[in-house]
Amino acid sequence: MAGAGAIRVMVVDDHPMWRDGVARDLTEAGYEVVAAVGEGRAALAAAAAVRPDVVVLDLRLPDLSGAEVAARLGAVEPRPHVLVLSASAEQDDVLDAVKAGASGYLVKSARKEEFLDAVRRTAEGDAVFTPGLAGLVLGEYRRLAAQPAPAEGPRLTERETEVLRLVAKGLSYKQIAARLVLSHRTVQNHVQNTLGKLQLHNRVELVRYAIEQGLDAD
Amino acid sequence: MNVHFAWILELSVKSAVNNPGIEGPFLRAITVYRVASLAYAAVLLARHGGYAHPVAGWLVIGVMAVWTAAAAFAYPAAGVPRRPLLALDLLVALACLFATPYVEGPGQGGAGGLPVPATWVAGPVLAWAVHGGRRAGAVAAAAVAATDLWLRVRTPGAAVPGNGAVLLFLAGVVVGHVARLAREAEARMQRAVEMEAAQRERERIARDIHDSVLQVLALVQRRGRRLGGEAAELGRLAGEQEAALRELISSRPAPSGAADLRTLLMRYGSELITVSTPATPLVLPARVAEETAAAVGAALDNVRRHCGPGARAWVFAESGDATITVTVRDEGPGIPEGRLERALADGRLGVAQSIRGRVAGLGGAVVITSAPSAGTEVEITVPAPTGGAGGRERS
């Protein structure tokens, strides 16, 4: 079934049974599973070779943190989209991975259809915003705003906050569009922006940190 | 004597208290005390020209030196039985005291009122106190003081000062007390270290469970759902167990009197109920957190009752300015306008009482938004102590 146009997916999860199950679901649904690996370093090495469109990433890996893998996958050419598939209790890790560049998050208990749909949307470059991720992102913006120098941090517009809160309450983009009288695409853009600003801020912070460390080392 | 004794003692105790660990530092301190006292006794003997019998005097100093060295090695050694060693220690000191009348001769009073071993006789008193506590210290002090006094009383013309005896008692009792306190502190420290080790072990087990059992349960849930029928039921059960087990291993003890509302809300999470929270703790006083979670539980019960057992629901918790808001949303048929008010008027208090009542008691507010065929939103807002929005650093 996997033809030339099929979406290329790499599965990264350290549990072999789970990995195989996910790979089988994807293959049956017409995706091309180009690699299935159990470690972060192996994933980074494989990504450069097999050029996946989407990386389905578990956050608990034996060698590297999920956030680190997500960040380093961002440097792979062509850059794959990262969909975090993780357990519900690893909220800090999820937030770190998303800030490091992952574009979506789904809990492992999600239904198969939900999962396959998320992989498709991730491949298209959309942010897969589950209610859980919306809650984390809203919380992160609030945390940044409460910090001593909030002027530097990214801010949400009122509309973005409104949209994210509705996502967190479980409304679909379509329902949100209807309620706020917006187009589906506009809702999607708002959601994408909230993530983009957070990721940009994270990169700026990392660069600043690197410069500080570099200057200190002299 | 009193000044020197006190000074040497202070020096020794300081060196004990400043060191970590318990028995070892005290023993080292006693050795320091013995060496200093030995030197003091030797100086006294030399300054008085060896008293009446210099050879016997230096012999006593020699015995003291040998015993000081022997005790320094024997006390910290593991294989040496303690009680005989303590007894011997005391006997050696008493023997040196007994030599005093002979060495110092009739002019004993001229040596500053001190026996030949001088302050060195307090060594075994300290050792007894460290090993046996206040009572043992007092007993050893009594033995040494009684011998000293008895020898003085027997010697015509010798002064019989009571200060030395009082100081010996004080040293025995105080050092015994301090040693006991120190031992208790060490025991407490030991318990703390054990608790920390237990916590680490717990975290390791949590990781193991995460890597094995939880993965399998999640897989059973996933495969079961696909197979359908009885397997789907098994899968659902596995999913519930996975959620419960995950909750169990991820819960951390909250600071006393406070609770993280997220932990309580996560318990409601299931295949049908999605719980969304920030990554930062939502800290509330424990009672407020429990009542809020109970109100959310009541709202979820209501969803099940009115929208059927298969209805989905979303729980979203967020922190605001000095408040925490939890929204429970469903996509059921909604509540017809005025029904809540009618129910209240009819005395059927159901939702109104269990949710509004609980939250009002916490100084919070409930807003219920509903429209036919558009589902229902129950928004619960409770006051949070400032800083409850929380720094992530504190988690």
Side-chain angles (χ1 to χ4, degrees), chain A residues 15 17-18 108, chain B residues 209-223 235 238-239 242 246:
Chain A
H15 202 275
M17 280 171 77
W18 176 266
K108 278 193 168 175
Chain B
I209 290 178
H210 180 276
D211 291 345
S212 55
V213 184
L214 287 185
Q215 305 281 346
V216 174
L217 285 176
L219 192 74
V220 170
Q221 181 191 12
R222 189 184 174 84
R223 304 277 295 159
E242 188 222 341
R246 192 180 291 286

Side-chain angles (χ1 to χ4, degrees), chain B residues 100-102 104-109 148-160:
Chain B
T100 298
Y102 175 72
E104 297 191 353
Q108 197 183 2
D148 185 34
L149 291 177
W150 180 68
L151 289 172
R152 287 167 194 273
V153 170
R154 280 185 70 236
T155 312
V160 188

Side-chain angles (χ1 to χ4, degrees), chain A residues 16-208:
Chain A
M17 280 171 77
W18 176 266
R19 198 164 64 220
D20 295 346
V22 169
R24 189 165 44 228
D25 285 351
L26 286 167
T27 310
E28 281 171 12
Y31 296 89
E32 188 182 352
V33 178
V34 290
V37 297
E39 289 181 4
R41 282 182 223 288
L44 293 169
V50 300
R51 307 157 73 88
D53 299 314
V54 177
V55 176
V56 175
L57 179 67
D58 180 29
L59 294 180
R60 295 267 177 116
L61 297 173
D63 52 349
L64 300 175
S65 77
E68 201 171 345
V69 176
R72 284 163 66 173
L73 281 173
V76 172
E77 282 298 332
R79 185 181 169 170
H81 298 289
V82 177
L83 175 65
V84 171
L85 186 62
S86 191
S88 55
E90 301 159 2
Q91 296 182 313
D92 279 11
D93 300 344
V94 170
L95 189 59
D96 287 343
V98 165
K99 279 158 69 181
S103 57
Y105 157 58
L106 213 59
V107 287
K108 278 193 168 175
S109 55
R111 290 157 190 274
K112 186 180 146 196
E113 299 72 35
E114 234 175 307
F115 167 66
L116 293 173
D117 183 52
V119 173
R120 183 184 54 75
R121 281 161 56 202
T122 306
E124 288 167 7
D126 283 347
V128 174
F129 252 65
T130 53
L133 181 54
L136 292 176
V137 168
L138 272 172
E140 180 64 4
Y141 274 103
R142 182 158 281 284
R143 186 185 72 85
L144 290 171
Q147 280 187 341
E152 291 181 27
R155 288 297 191 76
L156 289 179
T157 65
E158 256 174 60
R159 193 24 80 83
E160 284 166 350
T161 307
E162 201 175 10
V163 169
L164 269 191
R165 291 190 74 228
L166 292 176
V167 175
K169 290 178 192 173
L171 278 80
S172 68
Y173 289 180
K174 206 167 121 197
Q175 286 170 313
I176 296 170
R179 192 186 281 201
L180 300 180
V181 199
L182 296 169
S183 75
H184 186 275
R185 191 70 235 173
T186 310
V187 172
Q188 204 153 358
N189 285 344
H190 280 311
V191 170
Q192 205 104 8
N193 280 348
T194 63
L195 201 55
K197 282 194 273 189
L198 213 51
Q199 290 171 347
L200 179 64
H201 175 67
N202 193 49
R203 280 200 293 278
V204 170
E205 290 287 292
L206 283 178
V207 169
R208 176 182 300 165

